[in-house]
Amino acid sequence: DAGVIQSPRHEVTEMGQEVTLRCKPISGHNSLFWYRQTMMRGLELLIYFNNNVPIDDSGMPEDRFSAKMPNASFSTLKIQPSEPRDSAVYFCASSLTGVSADTQYFGPGTRLTVL
Amino acid sequence: GENVEQHPSTLSVQEGDSAVIKCTYSDSASNYFPWYKQELGKGPQLIIDIRSNVGEKKDQRIAVTLNKTAKHFSLHITETQPEDSAVYFCAASLSGGYQKVTFGIGTKLQVIP
C-alpha cells in the first residue's frame, strides 16, 4: 500500500495567492481528515469527511479556507487568498471508520510558506 | 469537548535509559488512545494504541498504560536508542462513528548516544 499521498510536499507562495493542497487517501478508507500543524498550536483538525461528505468543519479557520472531496480517492484543501499566518505544515489523514480498526494514517504533509 | 494534556514537552535521556511520557484527558467517554511518533519532515505515524478495556499493552520496547479512573495514560520506552529521537503525540478519541481525535501538544524526545 502506498499510504496517504499528498502533493505538493512544499509550497511557497506570496500573500494573496490561491493555494491548493491535494490528498489521496488509502484505498478503501472511508474517512479523511485535514490537519494543520504549527509550533504554537500543535496539530489542529481542520475538517473531517466521511464517505466523501463533510461532517465537521468547525476547525476551518475562516472563509478563506475550503475543502472538497469529489470522490473517495481525492480531496483538496484550498486557501484563497493566502496570508502569512497560514504558513504551517498541512497533513491529510485517512481511516476506516465504523470498525475497530479506526486508526488514522497520516500523509507526509505539505509545508506551506506564505511570504 | 475533549482536552488532552501532555508532559513533558521535552525529554532528554541517555541511550539505554527509559523514557516516560504522560497524558491526561478530560472526557470520560473517550475509549481509544493512540500514540504517534513524528520524525523530522514526516507525518505522525502510529506506534501503539490502547483501548479502554485493557490497562496495559506492550510491543517490544514500548508499552502503554491506561488508568481510566484517573483519566491518564502513559507511554514507556525502554532501552532507548538514538532512532527513538522524535516528537511523540498522545491522543484520545471515541472509537467508532465520528472519531474526532484530540492530540496532545507533543513531547520532543532526544536520546543522547
Side-chain angles (χ1 to χ4, degrees):
Chain A
D1 196 324
V4 176
I5 298 172
Q6 290 186 248
S7 64
R9 291 296 312 277
H10 302 272
E11 178 79 33
V12 180
T13 190
E14 293 187 346
M15 183 174 63
Q17 296 298 306
E18 177 179 297
V19 175
T20 300
L21 311 182
R22 297 172 176 80
C23 175
K24 176 179 170 57
I26 292 173
S27 177
H29 282 187
N30 60 354
S31 290
L32 184 139
F33 306 80
W34 282 100
Y35 288 90
R36 178 172 66 178
Q37 185 178 42
T38 61
M39 288 293 291
M40 293 299 295
R41 300 173 69 92
L43 269 168
E44 300 176 276
L45 177 66
L46 299 177
I47 188 168
Y48 160 68
F49 291 88
N50 182 251
N51 293 324
N52 312 337
V53 176
I55 303 299
D56 182 359
D57 65 354
S58 59
M60 295 288 262
E62 48 199 272
D63 291 345
R64 297 185 298 106
F65 285 69
S66 62
K68 294 182 179 180
M69 192 164 185
N71 57 63
S73 59
F74 184 65
S75 177
T76 60
L77 178 68
K78 186 176 294 186
I79 308 172
Q80 165 64 16
S82 57
E83 296 183 2
R85 61 193 169 117
D86 301 331
S87 298
V89 181
Y90 291 81
F91 290 102
C92 175
S94 70
S95 71
L96 184 59
T97 303
V99 295
S100 60
D102 49 9
T103 300
Q104 293 186 22
Y105 295 86
F106 283 77
T110 295
R111 181 173 294 277
L112 174 64
T113 302
V114 183
L115 303 175
Chain B
E2 176 65 275
N3 180 49
V4 176
E5 295 188 356
Q6 180 174 351
H7 60 95
S9 57
T10 61
L11 179 60
S12 291
V13 299
Q14 292 289 329
E15 182 178 357
D17 287 350
S18 295
V20 180
I21 303 170
K22 298 182 179 181
C23 291
T24 61
Y25 61 100
S26 61
D27 188 349
S28 56
S30 291
N31 61 1
Y32 176 61
F33 307 93
W35 285 87
Y36 287 83
K37 175 184 181 182
Q38 186 177 23
E39 297 175 330
L40 199 61
K42 297 183 179 180
Q45 300 298 312
L46 180 77
I47 54 172
I48 194 167
D49 57 16
I50 190 168
R51 300 183 188 273
S52 59
N53 56 345
V54 297
E56 184 174 358
K57 183 176 180 181
K58 192 173 182 180
D59 183 4
Q60 298 183 338
R61 296 186 297 107
I62 59 174
V64 290
T65 57
L66 171 65
N67 183 328
K68 285 221 72 178
T69 303
K71 290 189 284 188
H72 65 71
F73 55 114
S74 301
L75 176 72
H76 304 254
I77 307 174
T78 59
E79 300 173 17
T80 53
Q81 300 168 4
E83 53 264 38
D84 295 329
S85 296
V87 178
Y88 291 81
F89 294 92
C90 64
S93 76
L94 188 60
S95 178
Y98 173 29
Q99 22 108 15
K100 180 175 181 177
V101 177
T102 302
F103 287 86
I105 197 66
T107 297
K108 185 175 182 179
L109 173 64
Q110 181 184 20
V111 179
I112 304 167

